[in-house]
Amino acid sequence: MRCLICLKMPAYPKECSECSILLCDTCLIKYVRIKGRNMPLCPHCKTTNVNAFRDVQSNLLREIID
């Protein structure tokens, strides 16, 4: 279980609602700032859904990360 961008354990993880990949909150913010206007929001599944990333929904996954 690693962040797709920094390859470390996700800090304050965000989960893509389309593909369930995890990203650090800070990595996601940096990615959104540097990505081009026509680039997808998720670097994994290429979704363009603005609301694709959310807090981790699974209680078990949250406990493992914590």
Side-chain angles (χ1 to χ4, degrees):
M1 189 174 355
R2 295 179 178 199
C3 171
L4 184 67
I5 295 174
C6 70
L7 303 177
K8 296 179 182 175
M9 180 66 90
Y12 305 105
K14 298 294 181 184
E15 177 182 37
C16 177
S17 61
E18 304 290 326
C19 67
S20 299
I21 197 76
L22 295 177
L23 297 178
C24 298
D25 186 46
T26 53
C27 289
L28 180 60
I29 291 169
K30 288 177 187 176
Y31 175 75
V32 169
R33 284 186 190 158
I34 64 169
K35 76 176 186 69
R37 188 173 284 199
N38 295 327
M39 287 179 65
L41 183 58
C42 180
H44 182 256
C45 70
K46 311 298 186 213
T47 185
T48 55
N49 181 359
V50 176
N51 299 318
F53 282 92
R54 61 184 183 209
D55 290 332
V56 176
Q57 300 297 308
S58 167
N59 290 334
L60 178 62
L61 188 57
R62 272 189 269 149
E63 287 180 22
I64 292 171
I65 293 169
D66 288 341

